[in-house]
Amino acid sequence: GGGGAAAPWRGAAAVAVVHGDNQYASLDQVQRKEAPTSAAKPADHYGYWEPGVVFKNLNRVQAENQLKQWGVGTYLIRPSSQKHCLSCTYRVGPGQPDCGRIGHLLLLKPTPQVQGWTTDGRPAPYKTIRALLESLPYGLRLDPHFE
């Protein structure tokens, strides 16, 4: 392992809050409620956290290098340079065309107009990032223990 630039998402800060109107609390709000004051604040990079989804504070090149280490069928969600978006970097899984190819998707955050997550080729909104990931034809391993 190298330096601590991309600490895994673990511990008390990994808590999501869903409100009745399907809007998600910001991670900063969640951390104020749930995390010890000494906890690091990786949440500030995302404004969103979801259980069972791998989030990393990496840029595009760092994300590609990480997936080369993790292997085929892996993915991570990372900050995007585009406003109101996250990025998904993925590596096509076994048994799929282009197995091992690394790709990137822009994930559009839910808005009052679109009540869910969307991306290219998936215009219908999904309530969660995980549901959106499950719909993709890339053979992704959605068990987060590959990290």
Side-chain angles (χ1 to χ4, degrees):
W9 286 66
R10 301 192 202 290
V15 176
V17 176
V18 179
H19 296 287
D21 63 357
N22 290 331
Q23 294 298 311
Y24 294 91
S26 75
L27 285 183
D28 189 57
Q29 290 170 317
V30 171
Q31 284 188 331
R32 269 186 267 128
K33 292 177 187 170
E34 302 294 336
T37 56
S38 62
K41 287 192 165 189
D44 294 346
H45 299 290
Y46 305 99
Y48 180 86
W49 186 87
E50 184 179 310
V53 175
V54 178
F55 291 88
K56 297 286 181 184
N57 183 27
L58 302 176
N59 66 32
R60 183 183 182 111
V61 172
Q62 291 169 326
E64 290 176 357
N65 289 336
Q66 181 65 72
L67 295 190
K68 288 173 186 171
Q69 293 177 20
W70 285 347
V72 297
T74 57
Y75 76 92
L76 58 84
I77 306 298
R78 59 186 178 80
S80 171
S81 58
Q82 306 243 0
K83 195 172 182 177
H84 306 300
C85 296
L86 294 175
S87 292
C88 174
T89 300
Y90 63 90
R91 191 161 177 205
V92 177
Q96 302 296 316
D98 298 328
C99 176
R101 178 181 61 84
I102 292 178
H104 304 273
L105 290 171
L106 192 63
L107 305 182
L108 283 68
K109 293 181 180 182
T111 66
Q113 296 78 26
V114 180
Q115 296 285 316
W117 292 89
T118 56
T119 190
D120 288 343
R122 295 286 184 272
Y126 290 83
K127 185 175 179 181
T128 63
I129 291 176
R130 185 177 176 93
L132 177 60
L133 293 173
E134 288 171 352
S135 79
L136 298 173
Y138 304 128
L140 300 181
R141 295 169 50 195
L142 296 178
D143 174 359
H145 300 295
F146 59 73
E147 13 174 5

